[in-house]
Amino acid sequence: MTEKVTSFQYDRMVESALRGVLRDALRVVEAQGGLPGEHHFYITFETTRPGVVIPDRLRAQHPQDMTIVLQNQFWDLRVFDDALEVTLSFNRKRERLRVPFSAVTAFADPHASFGLQFQTDLSTDSDLDDLDDDAGADWDALMGEGETNDDRRGAAGGSDSAEGDGDSEGANVIALDAFRKK
């Protein structure tokens, strides 16, 4: 029997819809076998979340979060309803990763000046009041402000597919903070 709804949890609905944008973009890449034109994706995720599968050496290097880049050198992308799997090169060694969409904290396509930020834990309304206020700083790092291309390559675990222009001027960033209860 389904529990009766007493109020709508719009924050969860919006998060789910926005994660659908990420999933749909990845499904296009999966179907086409690569990214169109100059598009490339930065995907940041929490390495400690349940369901994240990465090699131990990468987890040791990225104990809290990690940004991967999908551009030129990625293989065997598989997109599921709840997660993505991809093989990437780290220091010339191919590694398979599984990242649940619930672990993703940010998604960006610098070529399109588009980005999304996500919350990874929306279990109660009181949790919304305790969310990290430094998300803006994380976003700046993701979009490349104050970093060189070499810095961004390093954040991608050594993948040499990070050639973003780092220009976030006029970026279409959708943050949910404006919709959250204060």
Side-chain angles (χ1 to χ4, degrees):
M1 180 189 236
T2 304
E3 198 173 309
K4 186 175 181 178
V5 174
T6 58
S7 68
F8 289 102
Q9 296 179 339
Y10 289 111
D11 53 340
R12 290 178 192 245
M13 291 178 190
V14 171
E15 283 284 331
S16 177
L18 291 177
R19 287 179 196 280
V21 172
L22 166 61
R23 186 175 28 256
D24 290 351
L26 289 169
R27 283 187 170 147
V28 169
V29 175
E30 177 185 32
Q32 291 186 175
L35 286 124
E38 298 296 316
H39 291 274
H40 53 287
F41 298 159
Y42 289 86
I43 301 171
T44 301
F45 62 95
E46 292 180 351
T47 58
T48 58
R49 298 290 292 185
V52 171
V53 178
I54 61 175
D56 289 339
R57 70 179 183 86
L58 292 177
R59 191 176 309 275
Q61 292 173 346
H62 305 277
Q64 294 181 330
D65 59 10
M66 181 176 181
T67 297
I68 58 174
V69 178
L70 301 185
Q71 187 172 16
N72 298 320
Q73 294 189 7
F74 65 93
W75 301 269
D76 198 25
L77 174 65
R78 297 289 178 251
V79 182
F80 304 95
D81 287 342
D82 64 339
L84 71 101
E85 291 182 2
V86 67
T87 300
L88 296 170
S89 178
F90 297 91
N91 297 322
R92 299 179 192 229
K93 183 178 180 189
R94 291 187 183 185
E95 303 281 6
R96 188 79 178 158
L97 285 71
R98 179 176 175 82
V99 180
F101 292 120
S102 61
V104 175
T105 59
F107 165 71
D109 179 350
H111 177 72
S113 297
F114 180 80
L116 297 169
Q117 286 184 291
F118 306 107
Q119 301 303 323
T120 56
D121 186 11
L122 294 176
S123 57
T124 66
D125 286 340
S126 64
D127 289 343
L128 296 175
D129 297 331
D130 298 330
L131 294 173
D132 184 5
D133 291 331
D134 293 331
D138 294 340
W139 179 252
D140 291 345
L142 178 65
M143 292 304 292
E145 291 183 14
E147 294 183 8
T148 66
N149 282 339
D150 291 337
D151 292 336
R152 286 191 294 273
R153 266 191 223 91
S159 173
D160 54 357
S161 61
E163 292 294 327
D165 59 11
D167 181 14
S168 62
E169 289 294 320
N172 297 318
V173 177
I174 300 172
L176 298 179
D177 294 338
F179 303 102
R180 294 196 185 348
K181 292 180 183 177
K182 300 288 180 194

